[in-house]
Amino acid sequence: MDSIILTGGHTPKPFSKAAGAYRIATELRDAGFTCQVIDISGLDSLNLIEKIVSSFISEKTLWIGISSTFLDKLGGVDWPKASIETNHDQEEIMSAAADLRIRLTKYNPNVKMLFNNSLRVDISAAGYKLFDGFTDDLVVRYTQSLRNNTPFADGRVYQKEYTGFNSSK
């Protein structure tokens, strides 16, 4: 599997899903990549998430992404609340993000971790590349650069109406 997207969580309407992860998966597949979208709604346990996601990770996996659009709890942390609260809560987010990265990259140490940053929380220090806004084309180009081992300007912040992005380095 070239890419894996974790999505899910609390949605405004019961039994509805955020379309962003599926939209990106479609663009990736249209560009010739394989992509698995995993709905992690109700899966607060990092052990269970690791067990499920690890079954899709191979030596070909380029990246694993988290869609934060409706993300609620992950690793015992209430992400929406913590993203706007105190520094202590930010530390909890950073710790949970780092723990998840460590758990998943042990199956392929070359895997990159991506985070769609609709929650406006900076987890880049935990080893994540941050993407923001409408990222379908940007993620496809990023995936192409990983597969081809070619340089890519690190997409930290990206907006549809913006013609470029800023580096997180």
Side-chain angles (χ1 to χ4, degrees):
M1 195 61 52
D2 294 317
S3 56
I4 300 166
I5 303 173
L6 308 180
T7 188
H10 173 72
T11 56
K13 294 181 179 180
F15 308 109
S16 65
K17 290 186 178 186
Y22 299 96
R23 178 78 220 132
I24 291 171
T26 298
E27 293 296 325
L28 286 164
R29 291 176 187 131
D30 287 349
F33 296 103
T34 56
C35 182
Q36 179 67 48
V37 179
I38 301 171
D39 187 338
I40 60 171
S41 299
L43 301 179
D44 185 30
S45 163
L46 292 183
N47 289 333
L48 186 54
I49 292 170
E50 177 186 355
K51 183 177 180 180
I52 293 167
V53 175
S54 68
S55 67
F56 294 99
I57 299 172
S58 73
E59 68 280 347
K60 289 180 54 179
T61 305
L62 300 169
W63 59 264
I64 300 168
I66 300 173
S67 171
S68 70
T69 304
F70 295 114
L71 185 65
D72 50 7
K73 290 198 176 194
L74 181 62
V77 178
D78 183 336
W79 285 60
K81 179 178 181 240
S83 70
I84 57 173
E85 296 289 336
T86 67
N87 285 338
H88 173 71
D89 292 327
Q90 293 286 327
E91 290 171 14
E92 287 180 345
I93 284 180
M94 194 69 69
S95 177
D99 188 15
L100 183 62
R101 180 188 50 78
I102 290 166
R103 287 169 180 263
L104 298 180
T105 58
K106 72 182 176 189
Y107 299 96
N108 176 346
N110 297 316
V111 165
K112 306 296 183 207
M113 296 296 294
L114 308 183
F115 187 72
N116 174 288
N117 200 20
S118 63
L119 289 177
R120 306 291 185 254
V121 57
D122 186 352
I123 60 169
S124 58
Y128 288 76
K129 303 276 188 229
L130 306 179
F131 290 90
D132 191 13
F134 299 94
T135 60
D136 352 355
D137 59 332
L138 182 67
V139 171
V140 170
R141 289 188 319 221
Y142 180 71
T143 308
Q144 289 166 336
S145 76
L146 290 176
R147 178 181 276 172
N148 299 330
N149 199 24
T150 55
F152 182 80
D154 190 12
R156 175 161 162 55
V157 177
Y158 175 80
Q159 300 288 341
K160 187 70 167 183
E161 53 277 348
Y162 183 57
T163 59
F165 33 86
N166 300 320
S167 174
S168 64
K169 299 287 181 198

